[in-house]
Amino acid sequence: MSRLNELRMIARVAQMYHLEGRRQADIAGHFHLSQATVSRMLKRAVAEEIVRTTVVAPSGTYAELERRLRSEFNLSEAIVVECAENRDGAIMARIGEAAAHFLEATLQNEEIIGVSSWSETILKMVENIHPMKSGKARYVVQTLGGMGDPTVQMHANQLTARLARLTGAEARLLSTPGVAASPAAKDVLMDDPFVRETQALFPKITLAIVGIGAMQPSNMLARSGNVFSSQELAEIEEAGGVGDITLRFFNAKGGVVKTPLDERVIGMSLEELAHVDRVIALAGGSSKIGAIQAALRLGIIDILITDRFTASRLAVSEAIEKVG
Amino acid sequence: MSRLNELRMIARVAQMYHLEGRRQADIAGHFHLSQATVSRMLKRAVAEEIVRTTVVAPSGTYAELERRLRSEFNLSEAIVVECAENRDGAIMARIGEAAAHFLEATLQNEEIIGVSSWSETILKMVENIHPMKSGKARYVVQTLGGMGDPTVQMHANQLTARLARLTGAEARLLSTPGVAASPAAKDVLMDDPFVRETQALFPKITLAIVGIGAMQPSNMLARSGNVFSSQELAEIEEAGGVGDITLRFFNAKGGVVKTPLDERVIGMSLEELAHVDRVIALAGGSSKIGAIQAALRLGIIDILITDRFTASRLAVSEAIEKVG
DNA sequence: ATCAATTGAGAATAATTATTCTTGGGTGGG
DNA sequence: CCCACCCAAGAATAATTATTCTCAATTGAT
């Protein structure tokens, strides 16, 4: 019976604290208690479930899906965006917006940003970033050479440059094809002092923004001319490759797939990426599910930004495979 | 659209803080934000109703009734106790328990407690107090002489003494009748040095525990022999009296009613009571509604402890009268 | 009954959180 | 275009809260 009297008082203290907004010391004075006691009563109020705090996700957000992604794939953060229709264009726009906001909110001073600048999603991100006047970032480093058609290559350079301008950083470009014709050709291309300089920054990147590619080349990539021939792609698939990040391939289990082609890519390696403090992956769309799942299994992505359709399928599929 | 991205992040921060119990500085580190920003986001989360805190009153408590009593009667605190049946015996027992708990929880060191020791409710309170070993209170002062029958007078003394023992205090008794036969007789009784000494403590009382009497004498009071004759009671009623605290009468509007009888009472006056830091009134039961309501209007009671039936009728009745 | 272990509360202190102060940028009116 | 004002964010600081430390008292086990 005295327990009830005790709880009544605890409830009253909780009411004064949480609803009336009074300070603990104030409440302590009111009841002639010590502040320490009030603090303990409030703790007790939570334990007794007299005080309950709920966090309501705003509609259009998917906190539960995010939680599952974090937990299934051991991510530092996951952002799942609302998207009315499961269409690639819409999805990329929404992911881009969310990524832009996240970047703006969390970008530190003097960061060195790495960006693999030929994904449409990343383009959407850049389009949504507000200019940050007081030069926040130090460098924006292009982590993969341009693809095929020189016009598109320039596009990629421009995207990097634009991101640099928006973040008040200096752009460090890779004005070279992403894939050389041969290892020897790569050596030649790498001889360029600007290329060397940019590459030298890879280990210093503090924040990398990457897209995830499926074996099906994306629109942008396709338009940019063929990167790898279908024969080469077949070779990669043969070796188990299901997706790539900056043209570095991996298999469904999250293992790195090395083929001779690897020697011809001019860009950041997965090993280098693994050393980056924050790796943000932007990817969505039903055609990429498998690639994304595999990419997450690499264990080098810290933050995934995706759409609710993809998120849902990723979470379910991963959970099932773990049980199976 | 960016508002949603902002709210998502706020929601996530709120989740980490409130549900995962992480520190603001920790969250700030996770998102590369400043602790100040996290604090502001959390404030915003409350404003946006992303975070909601509810205080659930344990069943068997009546927070809303208490709130109404506090507000209608301008009380510092109100305690409304659960009570299965609207029967005086049960009500007094519950009120006593609650009062005991409240006293134990809020009693300071060196307090000087005044107690008008002839109410059954106060007796129940004393019965429920656990001994406080490290002498908390300084004195327990009897604020009204005993009534009629010397046996009952002794009872009253014993109750005071018992409360003193339980609180580790020294008892200061009024070993005299509560009502003298005449003002002159009162002067004689007051000549007693112990009586004078006790009375001298009235202005030093820091916490007074009082009952509220209706014009209908209570069981205990009746058993103790008649205090006032029916003629005298009629005289008081004539003057508007509807209730008393330590035999000091007041009318329905909360005004003090002085009659010649007042000159014969040996006990604390309402003026003295008004100067006491904390005045705790213990009263319940349907027969006392009017008296309690009037007593509360006196404005000298800080804390009321009553039962849910009485509380409910008090709150309703006061609200109606205020509207009318 | 005695004693170690446990509990409970306040005082003092450490940790955490809110706010003020300051700076720099954005904005809108002249 | 310039200026004044407003707003946002972090650093520094003030305010608030949680915890540790201490002491005393209780309990349970001999």
Side-chain angles (χ1 to χ4, degrees):
Chain A
M1 183 41 85
S2 193
R3 176 178 158 81
L4 188 57
N5 287 314
E6 201 183 342
L7 292 186
R8 183 209 328 284
M9 191 148 174
I10 288 175
R12 175 80 184 112
V13 165
Q15 185 181 50
M16 291 171 84
Y17 185 77
H18 292 288
L19 305 185
E20 299 170 17
R22 306 233 250 154
R23 310 284 80 184
Q24 291 185 4
D26 178 17
I27 298 168
H30 184 84
F31 285 112
H32 295 77
L33 303 166
S34 71
Q35 176 269 320
T37 300
V38 172
S39 174
R40 287 171 185 135
M41 285 171 99
L42 288 169
K43 197 179 197 177
R44 179 97 189 281
V46 173
E48 298 282 356
E49 304 209 295
I50 288 170
V51 164
R52 267 175 260 192
T53 305
T54 50
V55 177
V56 189
S59 71
T61 69
Y62 299 89
E64 172 57 16
L65 269 178
E66 290 173 355
R67 189 194 61 69
R68 284 170 64 187
L69 289 180
R70 283 198 304 274
S71 125
E72 297 289 358
F73 296 106
N74 210 359
L75 291 167
S76 161
E77 276 305 319
I79 294 178
V80 174
V81 301
E82 165 63 342
C83 200
E85 24 169 10
N86 193 353
R87 207 172 31 78
D88 280 10
I91 286 175
M92 287 172 172
R94 293 292 95 70
I95 292 177
E97 287 164 3
H101 177 266
F102 186 82
L103 190 69
E104 282 180 48
T106 70
L107 188 65
Q108 301 284 93
N109 277 334
E110 296 300 300
E111 290 228 51
I112 298 177
I113 303 173
V115 63
S116 67
S117 41
W118 52 260
S119 126
E120 196 166 341
T121 314
I122 293 180
L123 177 61
K124 288 290 178 197
M125 177 190 82
V126 173
E127 282 176 0
N128 281 285
I129 290 175
H130 299 226
M132 308 173 188
K133 283 295 160 59
S134 53
K136 300 224 26 168
R138 182 92 194 75
Y139 299 116
V140 172
V141 183
Q142 187 176 342
T143 55
L144 178 63
M147 296 299 132
D149 181 344
T151 315
V152 176
Q153 219 178 100
M154 203 187 65
H155 258 340
N157 286 179
Q158 281 183 349
L159 185 132
T160 305
R162 193 162 155 203
L163 179 58
R165 188 162 35 75
L166 289 167
T167 57
E170 207 175 297
R172 290 313 177 99
L173 305 174
L174 270 184
S175 302
T176 156
V179 186
S182 69
K186 177 180 170 182
D187 289 345
V188 173
L189 291 167
M190 298 266 293
D191 228 21
D192 181 271
F194 289 101
V195 171
R196 301 200 86 87
E197 203 179 323
T198 300
Q199 274 217 325
L201 281 173
F202 289 174
K204 298 195 168 165
I205 289 172
T206 60
L207 185 162
I209 300 161
V210 302
I212 296 171
M215 296 307 290
Q216 286 293 80
S218 74
N219 273 350
M220 209 163 166
L221 189 47
R223 263 186 283 131
S224 75
N226 281 333
V227 179
F228 289 120
S229 67
S230 30
Q231 196 193 325
E232 287 164 335
L233 281 176
E235 192 181 322
I236 294 165
E237 289 193 60
E238 189 72 23
V242 298
D244 78 281
I245 288 173
T246 59
L247 295 186
R248 306 301 184 172
F249 293 83
F250 39 79
N251 62 32
K253 292 190 170 155
V256 175
V257 170
K258 291 239 179 187
T259 67
L261 301 177
D262 219 48
E263 299 302 316
R264 291 163 42 203
V265 172
I266 296 175
M268 206 168 178
S269 71
L270 292 177
E271 289 71 25
E272 282 169 320
L273 198 59
H275 286 115
V276 172
D277 187 32
R278 288 197 289 169
V279 176
I280 306 178
L282 275 45
S286 41
S287 61
K288 290 195 174 172
I289 304 270
I292 296 172
Q293 190 176 24
L296 292 173
R297 287 178 174 171
L298 281 169
I300 67 181
I301 292 170
D302 300 298
I303 297 152
L304 174 71
I305 306 184
T306 191
D307 64 279
R308 66 182 170 104
F309 302 106
T310 307
S312 167
R313 291 185 52 186
L314 281 173
V316 169
S317 143
E318 186 74 6
I320 289 172
E321 289 186 29
K322 280 194 181 168
V323 169
Chain B
M1 183 43 82
S2 192
R3 176 178 158 80
L4 187 57
N5 287 316
E6 199 184 342
L7 292 186
R8 183 211 328 286
M9 190 148 174
I10 288 176
R12 175 80 183 112
V13 165
Q15 185 182 49
M16 292 172 85
Y17 185 76
H18 291 290
L19 306 185
E20 298 170 17
R22 305 234 248 154
R23 310 285 81 186
Q24 292 185 4
D26 178 16
I27 298 167
H30 184 83
F31 286 112
H32 295 75
L33 303 166
S34 72
Q35 175 268 320
T37 300
V38 173
S39 174
R40 286 171 184 134
M41 286 171 101
L42 288 169
K43 198 180 197 177
R44 178 96 189 282
V46 172
E48 298 281 356
E49 303 210 298
I50 288 170
V51 164
R52 267 174 260 194
T53 305
T54 50
V55 177
V56 190
S59 71
T61 69
Y62 298 90
E64 173 56 16
L65 270 178
E66 290 173 355
R67 189 194 60 70
R68 284 171 65 188
L69 290 180
R70 284 197 304 273
S71 125
E72 298 288 358
F73 297 105
N74 210 357
L75 291 167
S76 161
E77 276 304 320
I79 294 178
V80 174
V81 300
E82 165 64 343
C83 199
E85 24 171 8
N86 192 353
R87 203 171 36 76
D88 282 10
I91 287 175
M92 286 173 173
R94 294 292 93 72
I95 292 177
E97 287 164 2
H101 177 267
F102 185 83
L103 190 69
E104 282 180 47
T106 71
L107 189 64
Q108 302 282 94
N109 277 334
E110 296 300 300
E111 291 228 53
I112 298 176
I113 303 173
V115 63
S116 67
S117 42
W118 52 261
S119 125
E120 195 165 341
T121 313
I122 293 180
L123 177 61
K124 287 290 179 198
M125 176 191 82
V126 173
E127 281 176 0
N128 280 285
I129 290 174
H130 299 223
M132 307 173 189
K133 282 295 161 55
S134 52
K136 301 225 22 167
R138 181 90 195 77
Y139 298 116
V140 172
V141 183
Q142 187 177 341
T143 55
L144 178 63
M147 297 298 132
D149 181 345
T151 316
V152 176
Q153 222 178 96
M154 204 187 65
H155 259 339
N157 286 179
Q158 280 183 349
L159 184 133
T160 306
R162 193 163 155 203
L163 178 58
R165 186 163 37 73
L166 288 166
T167 57
E170 205 175 299
R172 290 313 177 98
L173 306 174
L174 271 184
S175 303
T176 154
V179 185
S182 70
K186 178 180 170 181
D187 289 343
V188 172
L189 290 167
M190 298 266 293
D191 228 20
D192 181 272
F194 288 101
V195 172
R196 299 199 87 87
E197 202 180 324
T198 300
Q199 274 217 324
L201 281 172
F202 289 175
K204 299 195 168 166
I205 289 172
T206 60
L207 185 163
I209 300 161
V210 303
I212 295 171
M215 296 306 290
Q216 286 294 79
S218 76
N219 274 350
M220 207 165 166
L221 189 48
R223 263 186 281 128
S224 75
N226 281 334
V227 180
F228 291 121
S229 66
S230 30
Q231 196 193 325
E232 287 164 336
L233 282 176
E235 194 182 322
I236 295 163
E237 289 193 62
E238 189 71 23
V242 298
D244 78 282
I245 289 173
T246 59
L247 295 186
R248 306 302 183 172
F249 292 84
F250 40 79
N251 61 34
K253 291 189 171 155
V256 176
V257 170
K258 291 239 178 187
T259 66
L261 301 177
D262 218 49
E263 298 302 314
R264 289 162 43 200
V265 173
I266 296 173
M268 207 168 176
S269 70
L270 293 176
E271 288 72 25
E272 282 170 321
L273 197 59
H275 287 115
V276 172
D277 187 34
R278 287 198 291 169
V279 177
I280 306 178
L282 275 46
S286 42
S287 60
K288 288 192 174 174
I289 304 268
I292 296 172
Q293 190 176 23
L296 292 173
R297 287 178 174 171
L298 282 168
I300 67 181
I301 292 171
D302 300 297
I303 297 151
L304 173 70
I305 306 184
T306 191
D307 64 279
R308 67 182 170 106
F309 302 107
T310 307
S312 168
R313 291 184 52 187
L314 281 173
V316 169
S317 143
E318 187 74 5
I320 289 172
E321 291 184 28
K322 278 192 183 168
V323 170

